[in-house]
Amino acid sequence: MENPYSMKLEFVDDPNFKNKVNYSYSAVQIPTDIYKGSPVILNELNWTQALERVFIDNRREDSSLRWQVFGSATGVTRYYPATPWRAPNKIDLYDVRRRPWYIQGASSPKDMIIIVDVSGSVSGLTLKLMKTSVMEMLDTLSDDDYVNVARFNEKADAVVPCFKTLVQANMRNKKIFKESIMHMQAKGTTDYKSGFQFAFEQLLNDTGAPRAGCNKMIMMFTDGGEDRAQDIFEKYNWPNKTIRVFTFSVGQHNYDVTPLQWIACANKAIYGVCVCVFVISLMCVFSSLSQEYLDVLGRPMVLAGPKAKQVQWTNVYQDALGLGLVITGTMPVFNLTADANSQLVLGVMGVDVAINEIKRKTPTYRLGANGYTFAIDQNGYLLLHPNLQPKIINFREPVTLDFLDAELEDSKKEEVNTVQTTKHPHISNIVMNPPLLCSWLFPDNLPLSVADFESLLPNSFESEGHVFIAPREYCNELELSNNNTEFLLNFIALMEKVTPDSKQCDNLLLHNLILDTGIIRQLVEKVWKTKDLTTYGFLAVFAATDGGITRVFPNKAAETWEEDPEPFNASYYRRSLDNKGYIFRAPYLNDELLNPENDTIGILVSTAVEITVGGKTIKPAVVGVKLDLEAWVDKFKILASNQTSPTSDNRQCGPTSGCEMDCEANSEDLLCYLVDDGGFLIMSNQKDHWNKIGMFFSEVDPYLMHALYNNSFYNRKQSFDYQSVCDPVPSSNTGAAPRSHIFALPTSFKQSPFPPRSLFQQLLYGMILWFLQRYEVEAEGMDSRETSCVTIQTQFYFTNINSSYDILQDCGNCSRLIHAKRLNNTNLLFVVAEKMPCNTCEVEKLSQAETECILANTYTPAENTSDCGRGHSFRPSLQTLLMIQLFLLYPIASPHFLPLLL
């Protein structure tokens, strides 16, 4: 039924927010595990309502503002403008207090040591809760914090042996911590002193390593104990108490928590209120307890007053409301009351700035094809960079990509020693006449100016080939769009209203666009339209200029044109500027570059236009063609012939004959290839290879590719991608006991005729076990999602070999002859080889595919425990569980059955 008190709002699409929004109201999100009718929440909704007017006024003053958000310490999120909340998963697990921007804004930097009790009493469910709690604690840390984690029983040591001191709490280090925490095992006896001594020495010893230098604290997780370790505190922390100590009691047990409470309150007690010991008995409880510890750390910020009220900028992260990658400016909100105990951080105010908005303010077209802008934060992480492209969306953690990890080597490649090969007399006389593009495509006398300047008309763009305009801010009122047709219509409509000299337009940028449009139109009229493209085996011709114009001729060829309309972003444009001559690029297998009419594959060939003006050489444009593969393979086989006479009949060759070899006539015996500078197949005389055009050559002929690499025609370089996505690794059910659960009568049955508390605990404990088992199943299902990881990709490139070489490839049982030659003025390698006489050759298969980078384990397990003690996992249904519990309760309801139980 509809709520009679609910308000129906009308929403309008706003491309700036990528959502349907309502500008008249703000909206509220409350976490699923918080009761929406509690007095605290109702009070929070009441007083934050006043923010709505502030949000509206802010947007009226600055229309470029995006999401304005207030995150409350109670978990309430109020955001403007209002939009329907979209949970990223089936279950809405969003809690603003767990978001990166809230954590960074709600507390000052921390130096934290986490010590975990792994004595023998910590086992089973308690150990599992402890691991989960420690990992949740790590999630409350940001890149401004430093942390180390240690386990202790009779002695203490770091869970990651190579972390000798505190390390930055970045994503990479926290992931390493979590992997080691999951492998902790319980054994031995408890000695608090060993754990605290390790923690104090880590915090107090000045090793010169970087630290936060603000809050220092120790977080101890244990199942309980009687030791107070007073002599350790007297030695290291008293009387100044510069280090706070928080204690967490984990699991269901009957230990007295007084010693833990004393430890916490005796070390920097907060205003005399001894509430610093937390009890964790269920996984879902920790989020509220972590908020309490953040409240304690927020009090110094309140006391600091205006000094703490400074805007902090977060790392890049994925916006929960669909804005994409954003950074957020945050500021804490304090409750400045007379009562010192009530002076807390009420929440954090945040304003989002979309990364795409920053990109618009830093247009790359002003820097040239190979120029780009970047921004980094104080930790060296990128805020803006062309290679900042995380592959996981709705990611909970911030996107932390180091500047050095994003930068790749360019032209500075390491030099390799050239391996000389011995020429073989039977194929050393093969030559190659490289296929040259027709000179009419790139006329030397192309005019640089237009005598009669023509006004831009709607039909002038489409009359001579299809035109793509780079989506640049030519004028203030021009509405940008990623759809080229829509952007073109917007541009033409604006040109009918304003002149290129208008003050609201970038006159230089607009005049360059108009000038390039006229020049390219002359190229179409005077050159392209006078030729029959099909006779040359061309599917299309094109030209792209630095002014932002890309023209593809004929019009129908634009249907399969998938290059970026911004020339400076197109790979063919940048590669043509960086290299001399003709750059060949075959379509990748996943690209839809097939002509829908005749189902032909087009190979892109491009080159830069060089013009000398005032003694300086510039490259204002790139021109090229799209080759019809079938037509050009026929040309390739003829051009790849070394016949001395076109009428020669001696065209059959054998391994011992000195005949002339021919890639056309001897296609059954000879393999002829054109391979580009990256090791990808461009052309082949084998028809069954046509469906492999654009594939890495090792996938076509692994033995031949290995021979080319082994003879230094190619070198390889490994690069790391720190933003990759990998399939999850299935977790093993390790442990020393079966994962089934035994339900037994409590011992109090034999001592008391009516133990209601024990029975209630038994029933409650059974329900908890059932819930945890269900939670475990769901958690395992969630873990099956793709996760972020680091991958390695191997890239191949030409070495400095320019001459031709003859190679004898010896595979033990057989051998073959290979001839390879770099083609001048291109990025191609011409390869001729005999077919392999035998089926196998023991060589390394080269691959360019991305592979996951597995970090070396920091621990050495004594044995493989993946299947040890894995017993049967008993997961009862709720009905079965209730029947068992009722059976246990029945003797209490029928006292005459007690003698049977005794």
Side-chain angles (χ1 to χ4, degrees), residues 44 170 254 284 358 372 512 531 723 774 794 805 837 873:
E44 200 83 18
N170 54 40
N254 295 322
C284 58
I358 302 179
Y372 62 89
N512 286 341
K531 306 293 182 179
Q723 306 171 88
R774 295 302 173 188
T794 304
Y805 284 90
S873 180

Side-chain angles (χ1 to χ4, degrees), residues 486-497:
E486 181 179 343
F487 180 69
L488 187 61
L489 293 175
N490 296 340
F491 179 82
I492 295 173
L494 182 63
M495 288 298 98
E496 294 176 344
K497 298 178 182 179

Side-chain angles (χ1 to χ4, degrees), residues 449-461:
S449 61
V450 180
D452 298 325
F453 185 78
E454 299 178 3
S455 300
L456 289 175
L457 298 175
N459 60 354
S460 65
F461 277 98

Side-chain angles (χ1 to χ4, degrees), residues 669-715:
D669 301 317
L670 286 181
L671 303 173
C672 300
Y673 301 109
L674 286 179
V675 188
D676 72 4
D677 52 347
F680 293 94
L681 180 62
I682 299 295
M683 288 186 189
S684 171
N685 70 333
Q686 306 294 311
K687 192 168 185 178
D688 57 343
H689 288 168
W690 289 4
N691 62 343
K692 298 180 180 180
I693 297 298
M695 185 180 291
F696 184 56
F697 192 50
S698 184
E699 301 296 328
V700 181
D701 192 331
Y703 309 137
L704 186 51
M705 181 63 190
H706 183 272
L708 296 175
Y709 170 74
N710 198 43
N711 287 273
S712 299
F713 280 95
Y714 287 95
N715 198 359

Side-chain angles (χ1 to χ4, degrees), residues 557-574:
E559 298 175 3
T560 58
W561 186 261
E562 294 189 347
E563 304 298 331
D564 197 307
E566 170 58 72
F568 291 167
N569 293 339
S571 60
Y572 77 86
Y573 193 94
R574 296 197 303 268

Side-chain angles (χ1 to χ4, degrees), residues 51 76 155 177 229 237 240 287 296 326 385 391 538 591 599 607 613 645 699-700 728 736 752 806 834 867:
L51 289 173
V76 175
K155 62 178 182 178
F177 275 128
N237 204 34
N240 296 327
S287 67
V296 174
V326 299
H385 195 281
K391 298 181 178 65
F538 294 162
D591 286 354
D599 194 31
T607 188
V613 179
S645 173
E699 301 296 328
V700 181
S752 170
D806 299 314
E834 295 176 327
D867 295 320

Side-chain angles (χ1 to χ4, degrees), residues 31-55:
T32 304
D33 59 341
I34 294 180
Y35 175 51
K36 298 175 175 57
S38 67
V40 174
I41 298 301
L42 294 177
N43 179 62
E44 200 83 18
L45 295 175
N46 183 42
W47 75 262
T48 59
Q49 181 67 32
L51 289 173
E52 190 171 277
R53 176 49 53 188
V54 178
F55 291 156

